Each structure stands twice: as C-alpha cells, then as structure tokens.
C-alpha cells in the first residue's frame, strides 16, 4: 500500500512543481516583453510631453517649417528632417551594394582560409564607437574629399542638366554627401553581417542542383540564394537604415551643422540628431528646449514609420511566398 502511494505522491508533487516553474517562466518572459513595450510608449509620450509647447505654438506646421531662429523663438523641423532622410538615403545607396558584395564574397567566392579574418574584420568595424568614425571623417576624409574629390565633382557633374544642382557647390569637404559616406561605412558591417548569416542558411542541395543543371555562379546567386533569403535580406537592410537614421556623433562631426535647406550634397546641412546634440546645452528658453525635445519626438516617429514600412513589406513578401 505504502509502496504504491509514495511514487504517485512523488509524481504529483513533481508535476505541481513543474507547473509552478512553467507559470513563473511564462510570467517572467511576458514581463520582459511588456517592459519593452512600456519603455517604448513611455519614451514617445515623454518626448511628446516635453515638446508640447512647440507643438502648441506651431501646430502641425512644425513638421514642414524651415525656420530655426532661437533669437526670434521661431522653429521648424523641415531642415533636420530633410538632412536626416537624405544622409540616410545616401548611406543606403552606398552600403547595400557593398554589403551584398561582401556577403557574397564571404559565402560563395572567398577561400575558407580567408573567410574568418575578413569576417572578424567586419565585426571589428561594427564595434568601433561612432565618435571614432566622426573624428576620422573630420580629420582624414573631409580634407581628402575637399582637395581631391569634390572639386572634380563640382566641375564635371555640377554642369549636368537636371541633377547638376545636387553636385555643385563649394568644395568644403563638409556636407550631406560626406555625412552619407561616413554613415555608409558605419552601417556596412551591420548589413553585411546579416546578409552573410542568412546566405549561409541556404541549403547546399539547392545550390548544387542549380550547378548540376548548368547554372553559373551569378545565376545561382540571383535565382537561388536571393529568392531563398529575400525577407531576411530586406530586414537586414532596414536594420541598417534604422541605425543610419538615429546616428548622432559621426554625423555631427562631418555634416557642417548649417540650418538651411539645400539640394547640393556638397554643402553643409543638418540632421535631427545633430541639431539636438549641438544645441541642447545652449537651449536658454523654454520654447527653444521644447523645440529640441519635439525634434526628438519627430526622429522617433520617422524611425517608427520606416520600421513599420519594413514590417509591411516583409509581410507582403511572406504572403507572396505563401507563408
């Protein structure tokens, strides 16, 4: 009687203990997820509350006004928004093709003895602080561009009808083009690392079958590897875009910090993060401080919209793929 009862009691006690542990684990991970959501909403609401004076005075016009005059207490977010989007776009136009080439080289072309050191170098670039990129850009890249690149760009591309205005201007070295180039160098390690990891997930049987049917390496990459990893590749690109949109110190060093609207990539401009970093300590009035905090909310909304678009694109791709 006792021998039969003891194992049953032990099993019941163990089941109860497992259930309690499972509930505790479920509550723990649920709390972690809710903490992220609460932190996100709290950050957005705090910036919205801090910028309430600017939004109350300028209304929705704050988003498309190009004024920024602390003396007259006249502020608008158009120039920083424009600079943020343009520099991020330049960075993506440069970084995405290079990142794709790096990932393809490491997964399909490079010999095995070379893949590890190159991969380690890329990861090392990802770990360099952004202020180091900014100082390198200011003291090395800016003089080089001002002396050897931008004069040629202004003389040769600045005369092209239609797009010439984008490439004409004084060869200062500082400007949105330089900021976009520095951002590209910063986000290349992130995008290329994601691409490399997802390219490695492609089953070898798929590529070997394509090679057996007579496909070239280029055809295997475009017709097998990319379709198989398309969603993850797009996700990695938008991850790099989010990094470029929110970068502060590297952009602040090389952007020029001139609050004016210009289409020229050779002229100085401004961005949301750079404006906040440069002027937050100088905000000597409640409206000035509120406008800077409102810029932070604008940056939050821009990043949120970009990442939302990314999620919608990935969802559409999954639907087309039948997932």
């Amino acid at each position: 009687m006792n021998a039969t009862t003891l194992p049953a009691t032990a099993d019941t006690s163990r089941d109860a203990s497992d259930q309690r542990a499972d509930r505790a684990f479920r509550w723990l991970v649920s709390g972690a997820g809710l903490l992220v959501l609460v932190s996100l909403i709290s950050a957005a609401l705090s910036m919205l509350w801090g910028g309430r004076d600017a939004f109350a005075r300028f209304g929705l016009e704050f988003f498309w006004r190009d004024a920024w005059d602390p003396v007259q207490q006249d502020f608008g977010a158009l120039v920083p928004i424009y600079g943020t989007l343009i520099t991020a776009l330049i960075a993506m136009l440069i970084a995405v093709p290079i990142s794709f080439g790096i990932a393809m080289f490491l997964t399909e072309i490079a010999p095995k003895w070379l893949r590890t050191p190159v991969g380690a170098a890329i990861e090392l670039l990802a770990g360099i602080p952004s202020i180091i990129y900014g100082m390198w850009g200011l003291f090395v890249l800016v003089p080089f561009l001002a002396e050897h690149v931008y004069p040629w760009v202004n003389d040769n591309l600045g005369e092209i009808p239609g797009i010439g205005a984008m490439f004409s201007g004084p060869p200062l070295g500082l400007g949105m083009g330089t900021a976009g180039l520095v951002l590209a160098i910063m986000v290349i390690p992130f995008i290329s690392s994601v691409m490399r990891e997802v390219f490695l997930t492609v089953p070898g049987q798929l590529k070997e079958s394509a090679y057996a049917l007579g496909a070239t390496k280029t055809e295997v990459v475009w017709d097998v590897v990319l379709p198989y990893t398309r969603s993850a590749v797009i996700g990695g690109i938008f991850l790099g875009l989010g990094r470029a949109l929110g970068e502060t110190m590297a952009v602040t060093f090389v952007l020029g910090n001139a609050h004016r609207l210009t289409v020229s990539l050779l002229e100085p401009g401004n961005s949301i993060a750079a404006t906040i970093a440069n002027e937050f300590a100088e905000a000597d009035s409640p409206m000035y401080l509120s406008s800077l905090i409102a810029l932070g909310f604008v940056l939050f909304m821009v990043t949120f919209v970009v990442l939302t678009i990314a999620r919608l694109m990935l969802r559409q791709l999954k639907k087309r793929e039948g997932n």
Side-chain angles (χ1 to χ4, degrees), residues 170 172 174-176 255-258 260 262 264-270:
L172 303 175
L174 298 170
M176 290 188 291
L255 188 54
N257 307 311
R260 63 172 181 266
T262 176
S264 175
L265 303 181
L266 276 60
E267 295 187 17
N270 220 331

Side-chain angles (χ1 to χ4, degrees), residues 194-245:
V194 173
M195 288 185 176
R196 182 186 61 174
E197 293 300 324
V198 298
F199 288 164
L200 290 174
T201 63
V202 179
Q205 295 86 343
L206 291 179
K207 295 187 288 186
E208 291 171 3
S209 300
Y211 285 128
L213 293 174
T216 62
K217 189 175 292 292
T218 302
E219 291 172 338
V220 169
V221 169
W222 287 104
D223 298 332
V224 177
V225 176
L226 272 182
Y228 189 88
T229 60
R230 181 167 47 192
S231 299
V233 167
I234 294 177
I237 292 173
F238 275 95
L239 177 66
L241 177 59
R243 179 76 172 84
L245 288 171

Side-chain angles (χ1 to χ4, degrees), residues 31-72:
L34 290 176
L35 178 62
V36 174
L37 184 61
V38 170
S39 301
L40 184 67
I41 296 175
S42 299
L45 292 179
S46 63
M47 287 185 291
L48 180 61
W49 178 256
R52 66 189 184 279
D53 293 339
F55 288 126
R57 177 174 177 179
F58 304 111
L60 293 178
E61 292 184 2
F62 180 78
F63 291 93
W64 56 79
R65 299 179 78 252
D66 61 353
W68 193 267
D69 190 350
V71 177
Q72 301 295 328

Side-chain angles (χ1 to χ4, degrees), residues 244-263:
L245 288 171
E247 177 53 41
T248 304
M249 293 310 300
V251 174
T252 304
F253 272 87
V254 299
L255 188 54
N257 307 311
H259 204 93
R260 63 172 181 266
L261 202 62
T262 176
V263 298

